[in-house]
């Protein structure tokens, strides 16, 4: 197997996700898509319109912080080869982001599950005010 990364630029967040959803449905048919709970209102619809089944993973704790343990537990239960939609920064709609240490744990689970990752980066620079840091 080859280690490759694919990048596509498109107009608008919805357009980008729609292109990603169609690509994933075409080249990884039957994959199941996991979105945070809560997530941006369009996520589930966009992937479902491409014929993909969506699920929720825990994200926000009752104290309004990141439920990292619940998130990791849910992602670990996903079938191998699933698609994980991850907000890179300024999570929509919560604004709650993983720490760098938590991102390492998330990356480990993604690798363990051989997941296809869709990074939704709608608000780079909004969290810290620094495009490079975010």
């Amino acid at each position: 197997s080859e280690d490759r990364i694919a990048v596509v630029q498109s107009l608008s967040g919805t357009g980008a996700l729609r292109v990603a959803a169609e690509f994933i449905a075409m080249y990884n048919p039957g994959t199941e898509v996991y979105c945070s709970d809560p997530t941006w209102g369009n996520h589930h619809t966009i992937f479902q319109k491409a014929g993909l089944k969506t699920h929720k993973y825990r994200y926000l704790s009752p104290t309004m912080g990141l439920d990292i343990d619940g998130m990791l537990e849910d992602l670990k239960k996903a079938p191998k080869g699933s698609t994980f939609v991850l907000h890179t920064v300024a999570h929509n709609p919560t604004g709650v982001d993983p720490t760098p240490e938590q991102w390492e744990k998330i990356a480990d689970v993604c690798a363990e599950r051989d997941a296809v990752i869709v990074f939704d980066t709608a608000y780079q620079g909004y969290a810290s005010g620094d495009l490079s840091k975010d």
Side-chain angles (χ1 to χ4, degrees), residues 22-61:
E22 291 296 335
F23 182 88
I24 291 165
M26 184 178 291
Y27 293 102
N28 195 13
T31 188
E32 297 183 15
V33 179
Y34 288 76
C35 301
S36 63
D37 183 19
T39 194
W40 181 49
N42 282 355
H43 278 154
H44 289 280
T45 303
I46 290 167
F47 288 96
Q48 290 167 357
K49 289 284 186 185
L52 299 169
K53 184 176 181 180
T54 64
H55 302 277
K56 297 177 182 179
Y57 61 83
R58 286 174 280 177
Y59 192 82
L60 196 62
S61 73

CSV table of all heavy atoms in Angstrom, one decimal, residues 22-61:
chain,number,residue,atom,x,y,z
A,22,GLU,N,-19.1,12.6,-2.5
A,22,GLU,CA,-19.3,11.9,-3.7
A,22,GLU,C,-18.0,11.1,-4.0
A,22,GLU,O,-18.1,9.9,-4.5
A,22,GLU,CB,-19.6,12.8,-4.9
A,22,GLU,CG,-21.0,13.5,-4.8
A,22,GLU,CD,-22.1,12.5,-5.0
A,22,GLU,OE1,-21.9,11.4,-5.5
A,22,GLU,OE2,-23.2,12.8,-4.5
A,23,PHE,N,-16.9,11.7,-3.8
A,23,PHE,CA,-15.6,10.9,-4.0
A,23,PHE,C,-15.5,9.7,-3.1
A,23,PHE,O,-15.2,8.6,-3.5
A,23,PHE,CB,-14.4,11.9,-3.7
A,23,PHE,CG,-13.1,11.3,-3.9
A,23,PHE,CD1,-12.5,11.3,-5.2
A,23,PHE,CD2,-12.4,10.6,-2.9
A,23,PHE,CE1,-11.2,10.7,-5.4
A,23,PHE,CE2,-11.2,10.1,-3.1
A,23,PHE,CZ,-10.6,10.1,-4.4
A,24,ILE,N,-15.8,9.9,-1.8
A,24,ILE,CA,-15.8,8.8,-0.9
A,24,ILE,C,-16.8,7.7,-1.3
A,24,ILE,O,-16.5,6.5,-1.2
A,24,ILE,CB,-16.0,9.3,0.6
A,24,ILE,CG1,-14.8,10.1,1.0
A,24,ILE,CG2,-16.3,8.2,1.5
A,24,ILE,CD1,-15.1,11.0,2.2
A,25,ALA,N,-18.0,8.1,-1.6
A,25,ALA,CA,-19.0,7.1,-2.0
A,25,ALA,C,-18.6,6.3,-3.3
A,25,ALA,O,-18.9,5.1,-3.4
A,25,ALA,CB,-20.4,7.8,-2.3
A,26,MET,N,-17.9,7.0,-4.2
A,26,MET,CA,-17.4,6.3,-5.4
A,26,MET,C,-16.3,5.4,-5.1
A,26,MET,O,-16.2,4.3,-5.7
A,26,MET,CB,-17.0,7.4,-6.4
A,26,MET,CG,-16.6,6.8,-7.8
A,26,MET,SD,-16.2,8.1,-9.0
A,26,MET,CE,-17.8,8.8,-9.3
A,27,TYR,N,-15.3,5.8,-4.3
A,27,TYR,CA,-14.1,5.0,-4.2
A,27,TYR,C,-14.0,4.2,-2.9
A,27,TYR,O,-13.1,3.4,-2.7
A,27,TYR,CB,-12.9,5.9,-4.3
A,27,TYR,CG,-12.7,6.5,-5.7
A,27,TYR,CD1,-13.1,7.7,-6.0
A,27,TYR,CD2,-12.3,5.6,-6.7
A,27,TYR,CE1,-13.1,8.2,-7.3
A,27,TYR,CE2,-12.2,6.1,-8.0
A,27,TYR,CZ,-12.6,7.4,-8.3
A,27,TYR,OH,-12.5,7.8,-9.6
A,28,ASN,N,-15.0,4.4,-2.0
A,28,ASN,CA,-15.0,3.6,-0.7
A,28,ASN,C,-16.5,3.3,-0.4
A,28,ASN,O,-17.0,3.7,0.6
A,28,ASN,CB,-14.4,4.4,0.4
A,28,ASN,CG,-14.1,3.5,1.6
A,28,ASN,OD1,-14.2,2.3,1.6
A,28,ASN,ND2,-13.8,4.2,2.8
A,29,PRO,N,-17.2,2.7,-1.4
A,29,PRO,CA,-18.6,2.4,-1.3
A,29,PRO,C,-18.9,1.6,0.0
A,29,PRO,O,-18.2,0.7,0.4
A,29,PRO,CB,-19.0,1.7,-2.5
A,29,PRO,CG,-17.7,1.1,-3.1
A,29,PRO,CD,-16.6,2.0,-2.6
A,30,GLY,N,-20.0,2.0,0.6
A,30,GLY,CA,-20.4,1.3,1.8
A,30,GLY,C,-19.8,1.8,3.1
A,30,GLY,O,-20.1,1.3,4.2
A,31,THR,N,-18.8,2.7,3.0
A,31,THR,CA,-18.2,3.3,4.2
A,31,THR,C,-19.3,3.9,5.0
A,31,THR,O,-20.3,4.4,4.5
A,31,THR,CB,-17.1,4.3,3.9
A,31,THR,OG1,-16.4,4.6,5.1
A,31,THR,CG2,-17.6,5.5,3.2
A,32,GLU,N,-19.1,4.0,6.3
A,32,GLU,CA,-20.0,4.7,7.2
A,32,GLU,C,-19.3,5.9,7.7
A,32,GLU,O,-18.1,5.9,8.0
A,32,GLU,CB,-20.4,3.8,8.4
A,32,GLU,CG,-21.2,2.5,7.9
A,32,GLU,CD,-21.7,1.6,8.9
A,32,GLU,OE1,-21.7,2.0,10.1
A,32,GLU,OE2,-22.1,0.5,8.6
A,33,VAL,N,-20.1,7.0,7.8
A,33,VAL,CA,-19.5,8.3,8.1
A,33,VAL,C,-19.9,8.7,9.5
A,33,VAL,O,-21.1,8.6,9.9
A,33,VAL,CB,-20.1,9.4,7.1
A,33,VAL,CG1,-19.5,10.8,7.4
A,33,VAL,CG2,-19.7,9.0,5.7
A,34,TYR,N,-18.9,9.1,10.3
A,34,TYR,CA,-19.1,9.5,11.7
A,34,TYR,C,-18.9,11.0,11.8
A,34,TYR,O,-17.8,11.5,11.5
A,34,TYR,CB,-18.2,8.7,12.6
A,34,TYR,CG,-18.6,7.3,12.7
A,34,TYR,CD1,-18.3,6.4,11.6
A,34,TYR,CD2,-19.2,6.8,13.8
A,34,TYR,CE1,-18.7,5.1,11.7
A,34,TYR,CE2,-19.7,5.5,13.9
A,34,TYR,CZ,-19.4,4.6,12.8
A,34,TYR,OH,-19.8,3.3,12.9
A,35,CYS,N,-19.9,11.7,12.4
A,35,CYS,CA,-19.8,13.1,12.6
A,35,CYS,C,-20.0,13.4,14.1
A,35,CYS,O,-20.7,12.7,14.8
A,35,CYS,CB,-20.9,13.9,11.9
A,35,CYS,SG,-20.9,13.6,10.1
A,36,SER,N,-19.4,14.5,14.6
A,36,SER,CA,-19.5,14.8,16.0
A,36,SER,C,-21.0,15.1,16.4
A,36,SER,O,-21.8,15.5,15.5
A,36,SER,CB,-18.6,16.0,16.3
A,36,SER,OG,-19.0,17.1,15.6
A,37,ASP,N,-21.3,15.0,17.7
A,37,ASP,CA,-22.6,15.3,18.2
A,37,ASP,C,-22.4,16.4,19.3
A,37,ASP,O,-21.9,16.0,20.4
A,37,ASP,CB,-23.3,14.1,18.7
A,37,ASP,CG,-24.7,14.4,19.2
A,37,ASP,OD1,-25.2,15.4,18.8
A,37,ASP,OD2,-25.2,13.6,20.0
A,38,PRO,N,-22.7,17.6,19.0
A,38,PRO,CA,-23.3,18.2,17.8
A,38,PRO,C,-22.3,18.4,16.7
A,38,PRO,O,-21.1,18.4,16.9
A,38,PRO,CB,-23.9,19.5,18.3
A,38,PRO,CG,-22.9,20.0,19.3
A,38,PRO,CD,-22.5,18.7,20.0
A,39,THR,N,-22.8,18.7,15.5
A,39,THR,CA,-22.0,19.1,14.4
A,39,THR,C,-22.8,20.1,13.5
A,39,THR,O,-23.9,20.5,13.8
A,39,THR,CB,-21.6,17.9,13.5
A,39,THR,OG1,-20.6,18.3,12.6
A,39,THR,CG2,-22.8,17.3,12.7
A,40,TRP,N,-22.1,20.6,12.5
A,40,TRP,CA,-22.7,21.6,11.6
A,40,TRP,C,-23.9,20.9,11.0
A,40,TRP,O,-23.9,19.8,10.6
A,40,TRP,CB,-21.7,22.0,10.5
A,40,TRP,CG,-22.2,23.0,9.6
A,40,TRP,CD1,-22.8,24.2,9.8
A,40,TRP,CD2,-22.0,22.9,8.1
A,40,TRP,NE1,-23.0,24.9,8.6
A,40,TRP,CE2,-22.6,24.1,7.6
A,40,TRP,CE3,-21.4,22.0,7.3
A,40,TRP,CZ2,-22.6,24.3,6.2
A,40,TRP,CZ3,-21.5,22.2,5.9
A,40,TRP,CH2,-22.0,23.4,5.4
A,41,GLY,N,-25.0,21.7,10.9
A,41,GLY,CA,-26.3,21.1,10.4
A,41,GLY,C,-26.3,20.4,9.1
A,41,GLY,O,-27.1,19.5,8.9
A,42,ASN,N,-25.4,20.8,8.2
A,42,ASN,CA,-25.4,20.2,6.9
A,42,ASN,C,-24.6,18.8,6.8
A,42,ASN,O,-24.8,18.1,5.8
A,42,ASN,CB,-24.8,21.1,5.9
A,42,ASN,CG,-25.7,22.2,5.4
A,42,ASN,OD1,-26.9,22.2,5.8
A,42,ASN,ND2,-25.2,23.2,4.7
A,43,HIS,N,-23.8,18.5,7.7
A,43,HIS,CA,-22.9,17.4,7.6
A,43,HIS,C,-23.7,16.1,7.3
A,43,HIS,O,-23.3,15.4,6.3
A,43,HIS,CB,-22.1,17.2,8.9
A,43,HIS,CG,-20.9,18.0,8.9
A,43,HIS,ND1,-20.2,18.4,10.1
A,43,HIS,CD2,-20.1,18.6,7.9
A,43,HIS,CE1,-19.2,19.2,9.8
A,43,HIS,NE2,-19.1,19.3,8.5
A,44,HIS,N,-24.6,15.7,8.1
A,44,HIS,CA,-25.3,14.5,7.9
A,44,HIS,C,-26.0,14.4,6.5
A,44,HIS,O,-25.9,13.5,5.8
A,44,HIS,CB,-26.3,14.2,9.0
A,44,HIS,CG,-25.6,13.8,10.3
A,44,HIS,ND1,-25.2,12.6,10.5
A,44,HIS,CD2,-25.4,14.6,11.4
A,44,HIS,CE1,-24.6,12.5,11.7
A,44,HIS,NE2,-24.7,13.8,12.3
A,45,THR,N,-26.7,15.5,6.2
A,45,THR,CA,-27.5,15.6,4.9
A,45,THR,C,-26.5,15.5,3.7
A,45,THR,O,-26.9,14.7,2.8
A,45,THR,CB,-28.2,16.9,4.8
A,45,THR,OG1,-29.1,17.0,6.0
A,45,THR,CG2,-29.1,17.0,3.6
A,46,ILE,N,-25.4,16.1,3.7
A,46,ILE,CA,-24.5,16.1,2.6
A,46,ILE,C,-24.0,14.7,2.3
A,46,ILE,O,-24.0,14.2,1.2
A,46,ILE,CB,-23.3,17.0,2.8
A,46,ILE,CG1,-23.7,18.5,2.7
A,46,ILE,CG2,-22.2,16.7,1.8
A,46,ILE,CD1,-22.7,19.5,3.3
A,47,PHE,N,-23.6,14.0,3.4
A,47,PHE,CA,-23.1,12.6,3.2
A,47,PHE,C,-24.2,11.6,2.9
A,47,PHE,O,-24.1,10.7,2.1
A,47,PHE,CB,-22.3,12.2,4.4
A,47,PHE,CG,-21.0,12.8,4.5
A,47,PHE,CD1,-20.8,14.0,5.3
A,47,PHE,CD2,-19.9,12.4,3.7
A,47,PHE,CE1,-19.6,14.6,5.3
A,47,PHE,CE2,-18.7,13.0,3.8
A,47,PHE,CZ,-18.5,14.2,4.6
A,48,GLN,N,-25.4,11.8,3.4
A,48,GLN,CA,-26.6,11.0,3.1
A,48,GLN,C,-27.0,11.2,1.7
A,48,GLN,O,-27.4,10.2,1.0
A,48,GLN,CB,-27.7,11.3,4.1
A,48,GLN,CG,-27.4,10.8,5.5
A,48,GLN,CD,-28.4,11.3,6.5
A,48,GLN,OE1,-29.3,12.1,6.2
A,48,GLN,NE2,-28.2,10.9,7.8
A,49,LYS,N,-26.9,12.4,1.1
A,49,LYS,CA,-27.3,12.6,-0.3
A,49,LYS,C,-26.4,11.9,-1.2
A,49,LYS,O,-26.8,11.6,-2.3
A,49,LYS,CB,-27.3,14.1,-0.6
A,49,LYS,CG,-28.4,14.9,0.1
A,49,LYS,CD,-29.7,14.6,-0.7
A,49,LYS,CE,-30.8,15.5,-0.1
A,49,LYS,NZ,-32.1,15.3,-0.7
A,50,ALA,N,-25.2,11.6,-0.7
A,50,ALA,CA,-24.2,10.8,-1.6
A,50,ALA,C,-24.4,9.3,-1.4
A,50,ALA,O,-23.7,8.5,-1.9
A,50,ALA,CB,-22.8,11.2,-1.2
A,51,GLY,N,-25.5,8.9,-0.6
A,51,GLY,CA,-25.8,7.5,-0.4
A,51,GLY,C,-25.0,6.9,0.7
A,51,GLY,O,-25.0,5.7,0.8
A,52,LEU,N,-24.4,7.7,1.6
A,52,LEU,CA,-23.7,7.1,2.7
A,52,LEU,C,-24.5,7.2,4.0
A,52,LEU,O,-25.2,8.1,4.3
A,52,LEU,CB,-22.4,7.9,2.9
A,52,LEU,CG,-21.4,7.9,1.7
A,52,LEU,CD1,-20.3,8.9,1.8
A,52,LEU,CD2,-20.9,6.5,1.4
A,53,LYS,N,-24.3,6.2,4.8
A,53,LYS,CA,-24.9,6.1,6.1
A,53,LYS,C,-24.1,6.9,7.1
A,53,LYS,O,-22.9,6.8,7.2
A,53,LYS,CB,-25.0,4.6,6.6
A,53,LYS,CG,-25.8,4.5,7.9
A,53,LYS,CD,-25.9,3.0,8.2
A,53,LYS,CE,-26.7,2.8,9.5
A,53,LYS,NZ,-26.9,1.4,9.9
A,54,THR,N,-24.8,7.7,7.9
A,54,THR,CA,-24.1,8.5,8.9
A,54,THR,C,-24.4,8.1,10.3
A,54,THR,O,-25.5,7.6,10.6
A,54,THR,CB,-24.4,10.1,8.7
A,54,THR,OG1,-25.8,10.3,9.0
A,54,THR,CG2,-24.0,10.5,7.3
A,55,HIS,N,-23.4,8.4,11.2
A,55,HIS,CA,-23.6,8.1,12.7
A,55,HIS,C,-23.0,9.3,13.4
A,55,HIS,O,-22.3,10.2,12.9
A,55,HIS,CB,-22.7,6.9,13.1
A,55,HIS,CG,-23.1,5.7,12.3
A,55,HIS,ND1,-24.1,4.9,12.7
A,55,HIS,CD2,-22.5,5.1,11.2
A,55,HIS,CE1,-24.2,3.8,11.8
A,55,HIS,NE2,-23.2,4.0,11.0
A,56,LYS,N,-23.4,9.4,14.7
A,56,LYS,CA,-22.8,10.4,15.6
A,56,LYS,C,-21.8,9.8,16.5
A,56,LYS,O,-22.0,8.7,17.0
A,56,LYS,CB,-24.0,11.1,16.4
A,56,LYS,CG,-25.0,11.8,15.6
A,56,LYS,CD,-26.1,12.3,16.5
A,56,LYS,CE,-27.2,12.9,15.7
A,56,LYS,NZ,-28.3,13.4,16.5
A,57,TYR,N,-20.8,10.6,16.8
A,57,TYR,CA,-19.9,10.2,17.9
A,57,TYR,C,-20.0,11.3,19.0
A,57,TYR,O,-20.2,12.5,18.7
A,57,TYR,CB,-18.5,10.0,17.5
A,57,TYR,CG,-17.7,11.2,16.8
A,57,TYR,CD1,-17.1,12.2,17.6
A,57,TYR,CD2,-17.7,11.3,15.4
A,57,TYR,CE1,-16.4,13.2,16.9
A,57,TYR,CE2,-17.0,12.3,14.8
A,57,TYR,CZ,-16.4,13.3,15.6
A,57,TYR,OH,-15.7,14.3,15.0
A,58,ARG,N,-19.8,10.9,20.2
A,58,ARG,CA,-19.9,11.9,21.3
A,58,ARG,C,-18.8,13.0,21.2
A,58,ARG,O,-17.6,12.6,20.8
A,58,ARG,CB,-19.7,11.2,22.7
A,58,ARG,CG,-21.0,10.4,23.0
A,58,ARG,CD,-20.8,9.7,24.3
A,58,ARG,NE,-20.1,8.4,23.9
A,58,ARG,CZ,-19.7,7.5,24.8
A,58,ARG,NH1,-19.9,7.7,26.1
A,58,ARG,NH2,-19.1,6.4,24.4
A,59,TYR,N,-19.1,14.2,21.5
A,59,TYR,CA,-18.1,15.3,21.4
A,59,TYR,C,-18.2,16.2,22.6
A,59,TYR,O,-17.2,16.5,23.2
A,59,TYR,CB,-18.4,16.1,20.1
A,59,TYR,CG,-17.2,17.0,19.8
A,59,TYR,CD1,-16.1,16.5,19.2
A,59,TYR,CD2,-17.3,18.3,20.1
A,59,TYR,CE1,-15.0,17.4,18.9
A,59,TYR,CE2,-16.2,19.2,19.9
A,59,TYR,CZ,-15.1,18.7,19.3
A,59,TYR,OH,-14.0,19.6,19.0
A,60,LEU,N,-19.3,16.7,22.9
A,60,LEU,CA,-19.5,17.7,24.0
A,60,LEU,C,-19.9,17.1,25.3
A,60,LEU,O,-20.9,16.3,25.3
A,60,LEU,CB,-20.5,18.8,23.5
A,60,LEU,CG,-20.5,20.1,24.3
A,60,LEU,CD1,-19.2,20.8,24.1
A,60,LEU,CD2,-21.7,21.0,23.8
A,61,SER,N,-19.2,17.4,26.3
A,61,SER,CA,-19.5,16.8,27.6
A,61,SER,C,-20.6,17.7,28.3
A,61,SER,O,-20.9,18.8,27.9
A,61,SER,CB,-18.3,16.9,28.5
A,61,SER,OG,-18.0,18.2,28.9
